[in-house]
Amino acid sequence: MPEAEEQTNVDDLLDELEALELELADEDHETQSRVRESIRMARRIDEDTPVFGRVITGFDRHDAAEALVGSVVFGIPMVIEGGTLEAGVYLATHPIYFVATLLFGVSIVTGLLYVAEIQDVRVVDPILGIVPRRPVGLLTIAALTALFMMTAWGRVDWTEPWVAICQTAVCFVGMAIGGALGDILPGS
């Protein structure tokens, strides 16, 4: 197969077989039966595909749960580690680095989803026709998880809100990366 030729997949095969089935509507029963059996086999192949190589679309409850698990797995070490608090204190005195940290987190998540090609992640039904749902969902889950865990575990002092926000932001970046990986690695 030449490299320039587009790679086909099971969906392409199914489309061809279904078109063939329609063309053979007036043919003998045995030929129709063989085409239908081929369609069933192709569908079973598609169901048995490995985790990697699937096309990922949409963002549903299942994806949100995977993102939450990934956020928590990556976030627990960040919540209990003192370096997160120290980095947050530093960011509080350097607002440009705070903004850069947030942009870095968003960039890494976007890169993991759409650039690194770990999975084939497609944008489906974007918010307002522009903003992809998956990164918005992942980033929201990571932000809320970081806020909740840092507050509930007494890691931030909200009497100093700016410092607490900066400390939570450091945790958020790790959780966002974990959430993205937790979502796309299972390949749903």
Side-chain angles (χ1 to χ4, degrees):
M1 175 190 304
E3 286 184 34
E5 188 175 319
E6 190 174 315
Q7 188 174 4
T8 59
N9 59 30
V10 175
D11 289 333
D12 297 330
L13 174 62
L14 283 168
D15 290 344
E16 288 295 319
L17 287 171
E18 288 168 354
L20 181 60
E21 182 182 30
L22 290 174
E23 289 177 22
L24 297 174
D26 297 330
E27 297 293 321
D28 64 285
H29 179 69
E30 182 181 338
T31 305
Q32 288 177 339
S33 178
R34 288 180 62 198
V35 170
R36 284 190 197 108
E37 180 58 29
S38 296
I39 291 171
R40 282 192 287 277
M41 284 176 26
R43 286 195 175 118
R44 283 194 303 270
I45 289 170
D46 196 33
E47 291 169 0
D48 296 335
T49 56
V51 169
F52 292 101
R54 291 185 180 175
V55 174
I56 300 175
T57 59
F59 188 77
D60 58 16
R61 290 180 307 160
H62 188 277
D63 298 310
E66 291 170 345
L68 178 61
V69 169
S71 289
V72 170
V73 167
F74 270 60
I76 286 176
M78 295 202 66
V79 170
I80 62 175
E81 209 280 317
T84 301
L85 301 178
E86 292 171 11
V89 169
Y90 180 80
L91 291 181
T93 60
H94 298 83
I96 191 74
Y97 292 147
F98 169 77
V99 172
T101 299
L102 292 179
L103 291 175
F104 173 74
V106 171
S107 298
I108 291 293
V109 167
T110 303
L112 284 170
L113 293 176
Y114 302 111
V115 179
E117 295 183 0
I118 295 170
Q119 295 279 24
D120 183 5
V121 181
R122 307 250 174 107
V123 176
V124 176
D125 193 26
I127 300 167
L128 302 174
I130 300 170
V131 182
R133 291 181 185 278
R134 185 169 299 274
V136 169
L138 292 172
L139 294 169
T140 301
I141 289 167
L144 293 175
T145 305
L147 181 66
F148 174 77
M149 287 181 71
M150 293 289 280
T151 302
W153 289 11
R155 300 301 289 166
V156 292
D157 180 6
W158 287 102
T159 59
E160 295 182 69
W162 176 242
V163 174
I165 288 169
C166 291
Q167 291 170 328
T168 302
V170 173
C171 187
F172 156 76
V173 170
M175 287 187 168
I177 293 167
L181 291 172
D183 176 39
I184 63 174
L185 287 181
S188 62

